[in-house]
């Protein structure tokens, strides 16, 4: 039967705030550092690449930039500068996406705006990056095309690492990070649940995480600053239109191959094929032995450099162009009550994944949380569960289920 889920307010999926005050707010580290994506006994993990490391002198010791266009000084990439540039990009991108979705939806419904922290002091058209923590959650409900959609921006300044999470950072980076070291983070995430079962749900995010490791050895090495990117985009269709899925995957294959062509240092670890496989592995419901959707790309632990900054911005710039054409082709097509019913059943699986397997959501719901609405912002507006539902042999529903049981390659090199 139909069931209303919890309503909305601040960050979906990967970014979960768990305590205040803002200066010591804690973030879900499972959403920032690489996940070991397990399916049965199989484990995939992308190769770790050193983050940009900056001393007080400002030299990024392992950052790489485009040497054909950059002079020697600009090759000394500073993680703080990358962070600020990316945060500014996210603020502008959120506004751009909101305007595009409202225009496409055509219902006259507008995204609500829930600001917190430093963003309470920022005017609507001000692109200034706040110097303190804050966020903006934008939510559209009851639209013509988007039944419920959320676009959430989060900025964390001067968070403090616990000893446990510092050990996680040290284990991945090889840099001496300890409890009490500070971190900053910025993220933009989107989930768009469509009204029509013929239009797929769209989910995406990009994020950066920066750590400042204090000088503990009195060796004058100075403070070390490390930064990583993560993100992705994926589809959850209810009915398969193969050409739509191929077009969606093709957009990200083109993006990956253009930014990381053969011979690039990241061409193997962050190829489209590797990020597509990682996406398939993460969005998997082991109890059901099925995947949540038809995937896309998913990446984490990507060293933050000028080069990878361009790639991650490219990911965000590809979101709407990869999804909007699909929407426009099918948003006005008629559908049956049976097709709507199937959509709600599949949304039940979407919520199952979020509550049972998504690490950020599980983390955010483990204890009392002043921003629990933000944890649940990615939940669908309506869902259905039906005991022992079976799909008809030879139906379109069965065709979808076969793909969700065994993902396929939608594009080829």
């Amino acid at each position: 039967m139909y069931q209303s889920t919890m309503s909305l307010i601040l960050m979906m999926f990967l970014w979960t705030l768990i305590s205040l005050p803002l200066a010591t707010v804690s973030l879900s580290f499972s959403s920032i550092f690489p996940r070991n994506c397990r399916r049965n006994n199989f484990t995939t993990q992308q190769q770790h690449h050193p983050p940009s490391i900056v001393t007080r002198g400002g030299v990024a010791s392992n950052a790489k930039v485009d040497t054909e266009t950059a002079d020697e000084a600009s090759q000394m990439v500073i993680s703080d500068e990358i962070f600020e540039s990316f945060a500014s990009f996210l603020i502008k991108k959120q506004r751009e996406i909101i305007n595009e979705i409202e225009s496409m939806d055509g219902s006259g419904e507008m995204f609500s705006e829930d600001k917190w922290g430093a963003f309470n002091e920022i005017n609507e058209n001000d692109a200034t990056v706040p110097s303190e923590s804050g966020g903006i959650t934008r939510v559209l409900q009851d639209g013509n095309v988007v039944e419920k959609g959320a676009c959430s921006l989060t900025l964390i300044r001067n968070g403090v690492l616990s000893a446990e999470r510092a050990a996680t950072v040290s284990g991945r980076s090889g840099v001496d990070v300890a409890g009490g070291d500070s971190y900053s983070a910025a993220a933009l995430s989107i989930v768009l649940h469509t009204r029509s079962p013929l239009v797929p749900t769209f989910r995406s995010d990009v994020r950066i995480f920066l750590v400042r490791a204090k000088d503990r050895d009195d060796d004058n090495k100075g403070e070390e600053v490390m930064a990583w990117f993560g993100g992705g985009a994926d589809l959850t269709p209810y009915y398969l239109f193969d050409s739509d899925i191929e077009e969606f995957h093709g957009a990200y294959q083109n993006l990956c191959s253009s930014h990381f062509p053969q011979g690039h240092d990241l061409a193997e670890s962050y190829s489209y094929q590797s990020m597509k496989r990682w996406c398939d592995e993460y969005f998997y419901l082991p109890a059901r032995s099925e995947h949540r959707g038809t995937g896309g790309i998913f990446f984490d632990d990507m060293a933050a450099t000028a080069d990878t900054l361009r790639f991650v911005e490219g990911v965000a710039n590809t979101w709407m162009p990869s999804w909007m054409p699909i929407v426009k082709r099918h948003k006005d097509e008629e559908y049956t009550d049976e097709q709507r019913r199937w959509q709600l059943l599949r949304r039940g699986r979407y919520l199952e994944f979020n509550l049972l397997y998504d690490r950020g959501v599980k983390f955010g719901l483990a204890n009392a949380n002043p921003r629990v609405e933000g944890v649940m912002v990615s939940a669908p507006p309506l869902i259905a569960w039906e005991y022992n539902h079976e799909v008809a042999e030879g139906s379109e529903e069965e065709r979808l289920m076969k793909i969700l049981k065994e993902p396929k390659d939608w594009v080829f090199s």
Side-chain angles (χ1 to χ4, degrees):
M1 62 186 296
Y2 293 80
Q3 177 173 335
S4 296
T5 62
M6 300 176 70
S7 62
L8 327 151
I9 305 276
L10 179 64
M11 195 68 182
M12 67 157 274
F13 184 43
L14 297 169
W15 299 88
T16 307
L17 305 177
I18 64 169
S19 65
L20 296 175
L22 294 175
T24 57
V25 73
S26 180
L27 211 56
S28 169
F29 276 66
S30 62
S31 72
I32 299 168
F33 297 101
R35 301 164 175 85
N36 290 332
C37 304
R38 294 180 174 84
R39 176 182 176 185
N40 300 326
N41 292 321
F42 176 68
T43 301
T44 62
Q45 180 169 315
Q46 287 176 319
Q47 178 182 352
H48 173 74
H49 290 269
S52 13
I53 298 176
V54 187
T55 67
R56 287 195 183 93
V59 178
S61 59
N62 24 11
K64 294 196 68 175
V65 296
D66 185 353
T67 56
E68 294 182 357
T69 58
D71 57 26
E72 182 176 353
S74 65
Q75 290 181 28
M76 297 181 181
V77 181
I78 300 176
S79 292
D80 284 306
E81 292 181 354
I82 293 175
F83 184 95
E84 297 303 320
S85 176
F86 188 61
S88 177
F89 169 80
L90 296 184
I91 293 171
K92 296 173 185 175
K93 179 55 63 175
Q94 184 188 41
R95 293 170 182 165
E96 176 186 315
I97 289 172
I98 294 298
N99 291 337
E100 190 170 357
I101 293 172
E102 288 178 343
S103 176
M104 175 275 297
D105 187 79
S107 64
E109 296 291 337
M110 310 292 284
F111 278 82
S112 63
E113 184 176 66
D114 178 29
K115 295 181 179 180
W116 63 275
F119 281 96
N120 282 316
E121 309 301 322
I122 301 296
N123 295 327
E124 181 178 354
N125 297 317
D126 190 348
T128 302
V129 180
S131 59
E132 297 181 354
S133 298
I136 311 173
T137 298
R138 306 292 304 273
V139 179
L140 187 151
Q141 300 182 92
D142 297 323
N144 289 341
V145 177
V146 178
E147 190 170 9
K148 174 189 168 187
C151 184
S152 300
L153 173 70
T154 299
L155 176 68
I156 304 298
R157 299 281 197 181
N158 301 317
V160 179
L161 290 170
S162 67
E164 179 183 2
R165 294 187 178 110
T168 300
V169 178
S170 295
R172 294 220 57 84
S173 67
V175 179
D176 182 17
V177 179
D181 286 346
S182 67
Y183 69 89
S184 298
L188 180 65
S189 63
I190 301 175
V191 61
L192 301 170
H193 292 291
T194 52
R195 185 173 298 279
S196 170
L198 305 181
V199 179
T201 287
F202 176 77
R203 185 220 66 87
S204 61
D205 77 302
V206 287
R207 56 196 181 275
I208 188 171
F209 182 77
L210 181 147
V211 177
R212 299 181 183 279
K214 300 174 183 176
D215 181 8
R216 280 173 284 277
D217 298 328
D218 295 325
D219 54 7
N220 297 318
K221 289 173 61 178
E223 178 183 71
E224 290 182 314
V225 182
M226 300 142 281
W228 296 266
F229 285 119
D234 61 274
L235 287 183
T236 302
Y238 309 100
Y239 288 90
L240 284 177
F241 297 92
D242 289 33
S243 60
D244 291 343
I245 313 302
E246 291 166 359
E247 179 182 318
F248 181 84
H249 279 265
Y252 293 97
Q253 181 195 47
N254 292 338
L255 175 74
C256 296
S257 61
S258 64
H259 279 270
F260 304 139
Q262 188 173 3
H264 192 286
D265 288 350
L266 303 181
E268 182 176 350
S269 297
Y270 293 99
S271 66
Y272 158 77
Q273 289 80 7
S274 66
M275 288 189 275
K276 191 266 187 188
R277 182 171 58 251
W278 203 5
C279 187
D280 288 339
E281 291 295 332
Y282 182 70
F283 294 106
Y284 180 72
L285 290 84
R288 301 280 188 181
S289 298
E290 64 188 50
H291 297 260
R292 192 178 73 177
T294 52
I297 63 168
F298 184 93
F299 63 95
D300 224 329
D301 201 32
M302 179 180 285
T305 68
D307 192 16
T308 56
L309 171 64
R310 288 189 291 270
F311 170 74
V312 178
E313 290 181 350
V315 171
N317 287 332
T318 305
W319 289 345
M320 292 298 99
S322 68
W323 183 67
M324 283 291 189
I326 299 173
V327 175
K328 292 175 182 177
R329 278 194 286 270
H330 303 294
K331 66 184 180 68
D332 297 321
E333 294 178 353
E334 294 185 0
Y335 55 86
T336 66
D337 290 343
E338 290 76 14
Q339 288 174 319
R340 171 66 168 173
R341 180 74 176 177
W342 174 247
Q343 178 192 39
L344 299 187
L345 288 169
R346 293 308 310 166
R347 282 182 177 178
R349 299 289 200 271
Y350 197 101
L351 188 60
E352 282 182 28
F353 175 84
N354 282 9
L355 294 177
L356 297 176
Y357 305 115
D358 183 80
R359 296 186 183 185
V361 172
K362 289 173 64 178
F363 186 81
L365 298 180
N367 298 289
N369 189 332
R371 292 197 170 272
V372 65
E373 293 287 348
V375 180
M376 295 298 295
V377 75
S378 62
L382 293 172
I383 58 175
W385 277 293
E386 180 180 307
Y387 180 75
N388 201 27
H389 180 82
E390 295 184 3
V391 297
E393 185 176 353
S395 66
E396 283 299 305
E397 291 82 1
E398 183 190 47
R399 192 166 81 89
L400 173 66
M401 290 307 302
K402 288 181 178 178
I403 293 296
L404 298 183
K405 294 286 187 180
E406 292 293 337
K408 62 174 287 185
D409 291 327
W410 295 99
V411 294
F412 300 92
S413 300

